[in-house]
Amino acid sequence: MVSVSGCMDALRDRGQCALIPFITAGDPDLETTAKALELLDRSGADLIELGVPYSDPLADGPVIQAAATRALERGTRLEDILAMLKNLSPRLKSPIILFTYYNPILNRGIEAFLQDIAAAGVSGLVVPDLPLEEVEGLLQVATQVGIEIILLVAPTSPKARIEAIAQHSQGFIYLVSVTGVTGIRTEIQSRVQDLLTELHGVTDKPIGVGFGISQASQAKQVREWGADAVIVGSAFVKRLAEGSPDQGLQAIETFCRSLKAAVTES
Amino acid sequence: MTLTPLTLGSSASESQTAQRPDALGRFGKFGGKYVPETLMPALSELEAAFYQYRNDPEFQQELQGLLKDYVGRATPLYFAERLTQHFARPDGTGAQIYLKREDLNHTGAHKINNALGQVLLAKRMGKRRIIAETGAGQHGVATATVCARFGLECIIYMGVHDMDRQALNVFRMRLMGAEVRPVAAGTGTLKDATSEAIRDWVTNVETTHYILGSVAGPHPYPMIVRDFQAVIGQETRSQCQEKWGGLPDILLACVGGGSNAMGLFHEFIEEAHVRMIGIEAAGEGADSEKHAATLTRGRVGVLHGAMSYLLQDQDGQVIEPYSISAGLDYPGVGPEHSFLKDSGRAEYYSITDRQALEGLQQLSRLEGIIPALETAHAIAYLEVLCPQLEGSPRIVINCSGRGDKDVQTVIKALDMMPEQS
């Protein structure tokens, strides 16, 4: 299993920007999720972020909220997501990053949760409601288990916080490109460029930009501003949910290839 | 082996009490700040502003002046004579029941104490846009009220289900110029409205202050809301002193998020002989699947930024709570209540819809006071509590809100039409 940092370092050595698609597990069903992961893996994804559906996703905008609600209504459970991943992950070249809110982790027990996701082949973890002040307990165990914890930096983060977050983040630093929740936006704020410059000034770790990137042109823009990875979520989730599962899969394949082309230097 | 010198004993624990929450916003293991990174600087800014102004004479003068002349404080501590008689034993002993009349506040509930305090903070922080969540609508009305008073933009998030059962309060908010945004997610109740308010705040944090209405949410909210509500207990103490020259024996309050209960309890936490009882909503029964009895039935979890007891399923998904009372059907509870429960300092029980409806009618008939359905849960617990008591202990109930907003719900529930006149 490739680690997040191993994958990011290898890409950086080759001068490449990583593409990280995000989908919600269990929307429309786990069978489609498994197919989508395989498809993304061979259509240009370098790493894949998989969202665990949660009842109260307060960092998510309407698209991912709705996907989580549908997934939960279908009875999607963490158990089943992990069973699917355990089966599938040996066949994927892209490291899997799990995106989950904190309560399901706490509910399972931090140690059990990390061990179980590691056993399922997960490499990294993003917990959007666990800021630096609360993350220590998770970081300690994660290091033992071999899961990398990716921390988020926001446009509102002051410099001292940015430095501390950069120091503790593993794999890469997740730069939230908007003051807001996940979702599709028409343009990327120009201050993302300043934030990237500022971040590169305080850390050697790779930086991934996400929240609000939904078009190839935006992905290209962010790459040109110096991002080491581009994370695209709602735009994938929306495409996968439209029409039949097969139509959805076809749509995300095309979209993934177009994004990969946009983040690849020509 | 503990190295703490035993001689420090009670004074050490007292000073720990005084310092709750700690610097990280913890009440024991409860509380904290489980929020997206985007909000962390805003929470620090709010905390700093609160510490700066809470002892600032000019801030206090403005707050006290408005509490007196605009809100109508101090609220009376009323001896409920006929209610007391109702529970009296044949030998004349029995609980002496007093009501702390928060229902007499402007806007009809205790919620305005906090809304007013926070809007004065927001003004000083230069935030001109105010958002809030509301369940029963009392906090929404209180927030709309203070925003009208200070000419601030006001957006209230309210679940669609709650908008339906609290239509009167929706109208009141709109009348005062607030925008009420319906939240259809989940079951369209307080939990969903709170999540949506947090999403708004994440998006507009640089211009917006979020007036959270309960002692819930991330630090510093549980502390700020408690401290702005603490006026309830402070007045109660001096009114008890005036009336009988002592302390109350028992404090009784309903608990959803828990702000009216914390407001009453806080002043007395270090008075070890004062019993503190919080009453949650058992809905159709704490053993049924339809209740909001978080402390009675929940497990420790994280919701809306705080670690506390939480109604959740085996996967850690939050369960939609239920109560006839729109102000109590919250799946979480303020972290300090979780702390008080685990430490044994406060007791928590639950009351069903049916019992609450009986409590509401009882207070209406015996005292001519129609309480809110939330408050009626605390009233209803007297039926359980009074027979257990010896002698004539003095009970202070937080009469946290008036029931005008609930009459439609009550009519439906009692399956009776208003009398023709």
Side-chain angles (χ1 to χ4, degrees):
Chain A
M1 183 175 57
V2 187
S3 69
V4 175
S5 50
C7 178
M8 291 299 297
D9 290 348
L11 285 163
R12 194 148 67 166
D13 288 347
R14 298 201 297 269
Q16 288 180 10
C17 175
L19 173 64
I20 311 181
F22 169 103
I23 56 172
T24 299
D27 180 45
D29 51 52
L30 275 178
E31 198 188 327
T32 307
T33 302
K35 285 182 188 166
L37 291 174
E38 279 193 295
L39 195 62
L40 294 169
D41 189 51
R42 58 170 191 263
S43 305
D46 297 296
L47 302 95
I48 303 173
E49 206 181 345
L50 184 65
V52 176
Y54 182 54
S55 54
D56 296 81
L58 50 78
D60 283 304
V63 173
I64 296 176
Q65 260 184 70
T69 304
R70 287 190 299 264
L72 290 175
E73 277 168 1
R74 281 195 71 100
T76 307
R77 300 189 53 194
L78 183 61
E79 281 319 319
D80 305 328
I81 297 169
L82 295 182
M84 179 271 290
L85 281 176
K86 194 165 197 164
N87 200 12
L88 184 72
S89 57
R91 301 204 295 275
L92 301 177
K93 65 168 175 47
S94 312
I96 297 291
I97 300 165
L98 213 58
F99 176 103
T100 178
Y101 289 84
Y102 188 48
N103 198 52
I105 299 177
L106 197 63
N107 176 69
R108 204 177 184 89
I110 289 176
E111 233 177 292
F113 181 92
L114 290 168
Q115 280 164 357
D116 292 349
I117 66 169
V122 170
S123 303
L125 184 62
V126 176
V127 189
D129 57 350
L130 206 60
L132 188 62
E133 281 78 352
E134 308 286 359
V135 83
E136 198 183 324
L138 193 66
L139 275 175
Q140 281 174 355
V141 188
T143 309
Q144 294 161 18
V145 176
I147 295 283
E148 290 179 307
I149 307 287
I150 297 141
L151 300 179
L152 297 97
V153 163
T156 53
S157 308
K159 189 148 193 271
R161 280 189 74 81
I162 291 180
E163 284 175 15
I165 294 166
Q167 196 190 336
H168 288 93
S169 190
Q170 300 167 333
F172 63 93
I173 296 147
Y174 194 133
L175 173 61
V176 175
S177 71
V178 291
T179 306
V181 294
T182 61
I184 294 166
R185 287 165 180 86
T186 49
E187 62 186 84
I188 302 297
Q189 294 171 7
S190 59
R191 71 170 157 178
V192 171
Q193 186 173 14
D194 302 334
L195 286 161
L196 274 165
T197 308
E198 193 178 344
L199 260 170
H200 278 307
V202 301
T203 183
D204 294 331
K205 289 175 186 168
I207 300 160
V209 178
F211 281 44
I213 300 170
S214 59
Q215 300 162 19
S217 59
Q218 294 169 334
K220 184 167 186 283
Q221 175 83 88
V222 170
R223 189 254 297 162
E224 285 168 359
W225 284 342
D228 301 294
V230 175
I231 304 149
V232 180
S234 294
F236 273 104
V237 172
K238 185 166 176 278
R239 279 172 175 78
L240 185 57
E242 276 167 3
S244 69
D246 283 344
Q247 287 169 323
L249 288 166
Q250 205 171 5
I252 64 166
E253 181 182 355
T254 312
F255 184 52
C256 192
R257 289 187 193 284
S258 74
L259 287 172
K260 181 62 182 179
V263 299
T264 305
E265 304 259 10
S266 52
Chain B
M1 274 300 283
T2 173
L3 294 173
T4 313
L6 290 170
T7 47
L8 282 177
S10 64
S11 67
S13 72
E14 269 171 32
S15 75
Q16 279 163 13
T17 305
Q19 285 166 15
R20 275 198 310 268
D22 67 16
L24 291 172
R26 296 268 174 194
F27 304 86
K29 68 176 170 181
F30 301 106
K33 296 180 186 180
Y34 298 89
V35 294
E37 170 62 21
T38 309
L39 292 181
M40 292 300 285
L43 292 173
S44 301
E45 182 193 3
L46 177 60
E47 189 180 351
F50 181 68
Y51 284 133
Q52 181 184 346
Y53 291 114
R54 71 170 170 184
N55 296 319
D56 175 64
E58 187 260 342
F59 178 87
Q60 279 302 329
Q61 193 184 3
E62 186 176 10
L63 177 60
Q64 297 311 324
L66 286 162
L67 283 174
K68 179 172 178 286
D69 296 335
Y70 187 64
V71 176
R73 301 203 72 93
T75 59
L77 182 67
Y78 165 73
F79 176 58
E81 194 176 336
R82 295 194 64 221
L83 195 61
T84 296
Q85 280 167 9
H86 174 81
F87 288 107
R89 294 190 189 84
D91 67 358
T93 63
Q96 306 290 299
I97 302 163
Y98 291 81
L99 303 178
K100 179 59 176 164
R101 296 292 309 276
E102 292 300 301
D103 58 317
L104 293 178
N105 282 328
H106 178 42
T107 72
H110 70 291
K111 291 291 185 187
I112 189 116
N113 303 328
N114 166 55
L116 183 62
Q118 284 201 45
V119 87
L120 295 182
L121 276 183
K123 208 175 68 162
R124 282 162 176 77
M125 289 189 293
K127 308 274 170 119
R128 307 280 314 166
R129 181 176 180 271
I130 301 292
I131 58 169
E133 84 296 339
T134 198
Q138 290 304 106
H139 174 57
V141 166
T143 302
T145 301
V146 295
C147 286
R149 171 65 183 72
F150 289 97
L152 300 174
E153 183 185 357
C154 179
I155 290 141
I156 306 292
Y157 289 93
M158 190 169 187
V160 288
H161 179 57
D162 288 341
M163 286 180 71
D164 187 38
R165 57 179 166 170
Q166 302 288 347
L168 175 66
N169 275 343
V170 174
F171 182 72
R172 291 167 78 196
M173 288 183 264
R174 287 180 172 154
L175 200 58
M176 290 184 284
E179 181 191 340
V180 182
R181 290 194 185 162
V183 179
T187 48
T189 61
L190 179 57
K191 161 179 99 87
D192 312 296
T194 306
S195 293
E196 205 52 37
I198 292 173
R199 290 189 190 103
D200 180 313
W201 202 33
V202 170
T203 308
N204 301 296
V205 62
E206 285 150 308
T207 59
T208 300
H209 176 63
Y210 176 23
I211 301 191
L212 209 148
S214 194
V215 287
H219 178 67
Y221 282 107
M223 171 181 73
I224 290 180
V225 178
R226 175 196 71 192
D227 287 1
F228 283 136
Q229 292 292 359
V231 65
I232 301 171
Q234 288 155 6
E235 285 176 9
T236 300
R237 180 192 280 273
S238 62
Q239 289 164 329
C240 292
Q241 193 62 39
E242 266 169 43
K243 285 190 195 303
W244 63 81
L247 293 171
D249 297 300
I250 299 171
L251 304 174
L252 183 57
C254 65
V255 175
S259 69
N260 91 74
M262 261 339 291
L264 180 62
F265 293 175
H266 185 60
E267 175 71 16
F268 300 97
I269 282 182
E270 288 170 45
E271 304 287 359
H273 297 294
V274 178
R275 260 182 94 182
M276 306 192 305
I277 302 174
I279 302 300
E280 299 189 298
E284 295 184 358
D287 295 325
S288 76
E289 291 195 339
K290 294 184 76 181
H291 65 79
T294 308
L295 288 163
T296 314
R297 284 275 173 240
R299 285 183 293 121
V300 175
V302 163
L303 176 67
H304 296 144
M307 184 175 288
S308 197
Y309 279 87
L310 176 63
L311 295 176
Q312 54 184 319
D313 70 12
Q314 54 181 343
D315 289 345
Q317 306 288 352
V318 180
I319 293 173
E320 299 287 352
Y322 165 80
S323 165
I324 191 173
S325 146
L328 297 183
D329 65 352
Y330 184 62
V333 65
E336 194 166 6
H337 284 295
S338 292
F339 175 80
L340 293 174
K341 176 194 157 78
D342 277 12
S343 67
R345 179 63 191 89
E347 306 156 50
Y348 297 89
Y349 307 101
S350 62
I351 282 291
T352 63
D353 286 358
R354 184 177 291 273
Q355 291 171 300
L357 283 164
E358 281 164 16
L360 182 141
Q361 294 172 87
Q362 186 179 56
L363 193 66
S364 303
R365 287 180 185 152
L366 290 176
E367 296 290 347
I369 296 170
I370 303 173
L373 273 169
E374 292 77 15
T375 312
H377 285 72
I379 306 289
Y381 190 69
L382 289 170
E383 291 284 353
V384 180
L385 179 66
C386 288
Q388 302 169 1
L389 301 172
E390 284 173 15
S392 303
R394 295 182 175 93
I395 302 177
V396 173
I397 302 177
N398 193 345
C399 190
S400 54
R402 67 178 186 224
D404 311 39
K405 68 183 176 59
D406 292 318
V407 288
Q408 291 301 331
T409 307
V410 175
I411 289 167
K412 233 186 260 178
L414 297 178
D415 195 29
M416 74 185 194
M417 299 299 293
E419 281 181 21
Q420 306 287 321
S421 59

